[in-house]
Amino acid sequence: MKRVLFDLAALVTRVAIGLVFVSHGWQKWQTGIDSVTQMFTKMGVPQPGLAAGFTMTAELVGGALLIIGLFVPVAALALVAAMAGAFLFVHAPNGVFVGDGGWELVGALGAACLVLAAVGGGRFGVDGIRKAVFARRAQRRAEANAAARAPIDVDGVSHHRELSSP
């Protein structure tokens, strides 16, 4: 029961956080990289062109990857980096509250992504499904190898098979 609860919580968290990031990333893509670069320049973000491209891509692609549960730790770490930059260079001086330009939203999003990077996205996503498929294949392979090594009972006498190397 605990495992299912974790998987459901991870799914809800991934999708909710992913939707927020996709929305913000899409909004930035709609305005264009030049506009985002100008905005980052006005906010004093170092390397504004590079930061704009990274942030736009991390939010849109990383958010989509969270939603489907693919490469969750990598996507989440990219988003943590984007939120750390937003915290350090834009929101920290403004206090906590988002209404004052503060860091509460980037802090919450970054913290959620940090947890996802640490624990993964659960079984209800592409990573979880892929892991389960590979685990079943490995188990079937191990069972087949064990069966191939098992003694054969012929006329009440146990004989071992000789396995040839491939």
Side-chain angles (χ1 to χ4, degrees), residues 4-76:
V4 171
L5 184 59
F6 167 80
D7 292 328
L8 286 172
L11 173 66
V12 169
T13 301
R14 278 192 356 256
V15 171
I17 298 298
L19 285 170
V20 170
F21 278 116
V22 165
S23 298
H24 282 262
W26 183 249
Q27 183 181 43
K28 286 176 180 72
W29 278 102
Q30 292 291 77
T31 62
I33 192 159
D34 292 336
S35 177
V36 176
T37 300
Q38 288 174 0
M39 180 178 67
F40 280 18
T41 301
K42 288 178 186 174
M43 290 188 277
V45 175
Q47 297 292 319
L50 183 63
F54 174 78
T55 302
M56 293 166 67
T57 303
E59 288 180 351
L60 188 61
V61 175
L65 290 173
L66 288 185
I67 291 168
I68 64 172
L70 179 62
F71 305 127
V72 170
V74 174

Side-chain angles (χ1 to χ4, degrees), residues 119-150:
V119 300
R123 293 181 293 179
F124 304 144
V126 176
D127 288 343
I129 294 167
R130 188 181 50 180
K131 183 178 177 183
V133 167
F134 286 130
R136 278 192 297 257
R137 285 182 185 166
Q139 181 180 1
R140 280 194 299 259
R141 221 175 288 121
E143 289 169 356
N145 288 338
R149 289 184 178 87

